[in-house]
Amino acid sequence: MIQVLDQETIDHIAAGEVVERPSAVVKELVENAIDAGATAITVEIKEGGISFIRITDNGSGIDKGEIPTAFLRHATSKIQNLEDLMAIHSLGFRGEALSSIAAVCQVELITKKPEEITGVRYEIQGGREICFEEVGCPSGSTFIVRNIFFNTPARRKFLKTPRTEGNYIQELLLRYSLCRTDIRFTFISDGKTKIQTNGDDNLQTNIYYNFGSETAHALVEVSASSEHASLTGFIGKPELSRGNRSLMNYYVNGRYIRSNIINRAIEEAYKEFLMNHRYPFVVLKLNIDSSLIDINVHPTKMEIRFSNQDEIYKLFYDAIYQTLKNITLIPETNLNHADSNIKTESPIVEKLKKETERTPEPFETLRQTMNYMANIPAMPSRQEEEEDKQSKIFQQMNLFKEEMIQDEKPVFRIIGQIFGTYWLLEYQEEMLIIDQHAAHEKVLFEKLMKRMREKKPLTQNLISPMVVTLSGRELDVLEENLSVFQEIGFQLEAFGDREYLITGVPADFLNVPSKELFLEMLDSLLEKGSRATDTELIIDHCATMSCKAAVKGNNVLSYSEAKKLFEEMLAMDQPYHCPHGRPTTIAMSKYEFEKKFKRIL
């Protein structure tokens, strides 16, 4: 039977579309404050906003006679008719926010217009009016929202931990602070101030505050325009790339949105400058004729449609690509750390560097030649093998930690190397062809897993600790999984509200940029959205670390280094596949050789 739903059920259905979690409540009320002309907005929460949210602004306030109407569904001051819907300039316009919030929360409003002497205190719970009285208060509005989903406990069970919910709110306010730099934002969580901007209308200042000095110093300003739109903001140099899109922030007419068109334009523009599956840092603001966009696509107003998609794509792509193309990115190697920074140099500086390069002195040329010859793999005689054990004439790159191997070492003979990557070995009754990268990856992985099982991580302490500035969600994930990082070999210390010090790194991975490795692990945890107590997830991180640290194909290994590597690999129980499943070894038995040469039938 078809029937018309009652108003309470209708309100709860609407609330389900608009109010997903505490951050959705904050989003709607902060946008209302911005639309009301506020220049200062303070958000205070307790228990991640689940039990308490207070949002205070110095905007225009609500007229006392319109307050009850404001909480009715589809009541709004933002639009009057269909024509207004086609040219929206405000953040809110549907008139669903207050009614939806009041349907599933206990709401208290204190508000006063600047021209009024007294204000109004209004309470509504579950859509039912509780209190309406005059009070003394400053101009503007204060919303207090308590006990989200108090009357729908089934939905409350789907909320995450207070820390996680609080971090969603912090990320939301971070985005507003990047867009509306003319507004002073304050965010307080459980009595601690997490965000405090000064409203000086300087985007770079807010980026510095939210992401740290390292990010702020690696920014390039962008400014471009097309027939119907203009684009301003900052993009990061490639060194700021991350493993997910969390640092890609862009706004359309002051609204934070997500767009496949814009995503594709940004990623294509960076394609020549970034490795695969790396994403850049951008904070970009697009101003466009509002008649050319449709934001009435989804209740959260996060999606948007452009009628001039090609123009928007070209504007973003050209602005970013030309900016990156016009700066010269020269890697500068730091001899004290494994990490390297990207520095911007002018053509003049580059020319001077080339001019200062000199030809080595004769004795230096001889030493380099001897070192090069010593690194060329050859077929050693037995006498040479014995001499190699006794002599340490040349200093080699130490790829492996010297460790006692308890089991008997496997006996094999190295025949030589082909194509700069594959080694031929005679082992028992087989000829083995070994991929040096896959073999080294397997050895590193097994060592790491063994230390994790034994709770004995091998850590190299850093003389100069590295500082990492993290977002709210990154902090949440790191602190939930701190033990995993420690088991792998990282040593971390809290350093301020949003910073951590890396004081020690995994000793087997010193040839990998430690900060990059740490952030990649954090990014993958963020992307999966779960704690790393799951065995499969931990193994995945260990495999990634091993792959990055392993010697690559075409890297020159000395005979002694190769011998050490194959001794360790062949002593393993399952040496024939790397952690990602690729074969380390291809074998051909003596029987197969004899059959191929028709020695046996």
Side-chain angles (χ1 to χ4, degrees), residues 26-41 43 55-60 78 89-92 141 172-173 175-185 251 253-256:
V26 174
K27 175 183 184 295
E28 298 295 345
L29 297 181
V30 167
E31 288 183 353
N32 281 350
I34 294 173
D35 287 340
T39 59
I41 300 174
V43 179
I55 299 178
T56 304
D57 68 69
N58 63 350
S60 60
K78 314 297 174 61
H89 297 281
S90 58
L91 296 178
S141 299
L172 176 73
L173 293 171
R175 295 191 192 112
Y176 285 121
S177 73
L178 294 176
C179 178
R180 294 303 302 267
T181 53
D182 57 325
I183 297 176
R184 186 171 69 251
F185 286 97
Y251 306 84
N253 292 353
R255 185 188 303 276
Y256 176 79

Side-chain angles (χ1 to χ4, degrees), residues 76-359:
T76 179
S77 61
K78 314 297 174 61
I79 62 173
Q80 303 297 325
N81 49 46
L82 183 61
E83 286 71 26
D84 293 340
L85 190 61
M86 297 297 104
I88 294 171
H89 297 281
S90 58
L91 296 178
F93 57 88
R94 285 195 177 100
E96 292 181 323
L98 294 185
S99 64
S100 297
I101 294 168
V104 293
C105 306
Q106 298 167 342
V107 181
E108 178 181 352
L109 167 63
I110 301 170
T111 185
K112 184 179 86 69
K113 295 188 74 67
E115 62 271 18
E116 298 290 339
I117 298 174
T118 60
V120 174
R121 177 175 169 270
Y122 181 79
E123 278 191 66
I124 183 169
Q125 298 183 7
R128 293 181 174 85
E129 185 179 306
I130 303 297
C131 174
F132 193 138
E133 62 182 5
E134 287 194 5
V135 294
C137 62
S139 298
S141 299
T142 296
F143 279 91
I144 301 173
V145 180
R146 295 182 176 90
N147 301 321
I148 188 171
F149 302 138
F150 79 100
N151 54 357
T152 51
R155 292 187 62 195
R156 190 182 178 104
K157 289 191 300 185
F158 287 94
L159 295 177
K160 298 188 182 297
T161 64
R163 177 192 289 273
T164 301
E165 296 295 346
N167 284 332
Y168 282 130
I169 296 173
Q170 184 171 337
E171 285 202 354
L172 176 73
L173 293 171
L174 181 148
R175 295 191 192 112
Y176 285 121
S177 73
L178 294 176
C179 178
R180 294 303 302 267
T181 53
D182 57 325
I183 297 176
R184 186 171 69 251
F185 286 97
T186 304
F187 174 55
I188 302 168
S189 177
D190 294 318
K192 293 183 66 176
T193 300
K194 299 288 189 177
I195 293 177
Q196 177 74 71
T197 65
N198 57 17
D200 65 354
D201 209 11
N202 187 325
L203 176 56
Q204 202 162 10
T205 300
N206 286 14
I207 293 175
Y208 176 89
Y209 176 83
N210 287 308
F211 297 100
S213 59
E214 184 178 344
T215 298
H217 291 149
L219 298 176
V220 184
E221 192 168 3
V222 170
S223 181
S225 61
S226 61
E227 183 180 356
H228 301 103
S230 63
L231 185 66
T232 59
F234 290 91
I235 62 173
K237 297 175 185 176
E239 66 195 84
L240 294 182
S241 66
R242 298 294 290 272
N244 56 45
R245 295 182 176 90
S246 62
L247 297 183
M248 288 169 54
N249 295 279
Y250 46 84
Y251 306 84
V252 177
N253 292 353
R255 185 188 303 276
Y256 176 79
I257 58 105
R258 280 298 178 208
S259 164
N260 291 332
I261 293 291
I262 296 177
N263 273 352
R264 195 167 78 246
I266 294 172
E267 291 165 24
E268 286 295 318
Y270 269 93
K271 194 170 184 178
E272 292 182 17
F273 306 93
L274 291 180
M275 294 175 60
N276 287 339
H277 308 299
R278 302 292 296 178
Y279 302 95
F281 177 95
V282 304
V283 180
L284 296 170
K285 300 178 183 182
L286 177 72
N287 286 313
I288 184 173
D289 184 345
S290 58
S291 65
L292 298 176
I293 59 175
D294 179 8
I295 59 175
N296 193 27
V297 178
H298 190 272
T300 63
K301 302 185 285 288
M302 282 288 292
E303 298 177 22
I304 197 168
R305 281 197 288 252
F306 297 95
S307 62
N308 56 339
Q309 289 190 4
D310 292 343
E311 179 185 349
I312 298 305
Y313 178 92
K314 190 174 187 305
L315 176 60
F316 272 84
Y317 178 87
D318 289 348
I320 296 171
Y321 181 77
Q322 292 302 325
T323 300
L324 292 172
K325 191 177 178 181
N326 290 336
I327 59 174
T328 305
L329 302 172
I330 301 175
E332 179 184 289
T333 302
N334 188 332
L335 297 179
N336 296 322
H337 301 286
D339 297 279
S340 63
N341 297 319
I342 304 295
K343 299 294 183 184
T344 301
E345 302 285 14
S346 67
I348 297 175
V349 174
E350 187 177 5
K351 182 173 181 292
L352 288 172
K353 284 186 174 182
K354 289 181 179 178
E355 288 177 352
T356 55
E357 293 176 356
R358 61 183 181 83
T359 304

Side-chain angles (χ1 to χ4, degrees), residues 535-591:
T535 304
E536 184 180 348
L537 196 56
I538 296 173
I539 290 173
D540 182 56
H541 293 320
C542 295
T544 300
M545 291 173 64
S546 303
C547 182
K548 285 186 169 294
V551 63
K552 303 299 184 288
N554 293 315
N555 284 10
V556 177
L557 284 184
S558 69
Y559 170 77
S560 59
E561 285 177 325
K563 185 172 181 292
K564 172 73 172 174
L565 170 60
F566 303 143
E567 283 175 350
E568 295 191 8
M569 189 199 81
L570 292 172
M572 294 175 179
D573 293 335
Q574 299 291 334
Y576 300 116
H577 287 88
C578 80
H580 293 104
R582 286 197 311 108
T584 62
T585 308
I586 297 173
M588 189 170 179
S589 68
K590 180 182 178 184
Y591 173 81

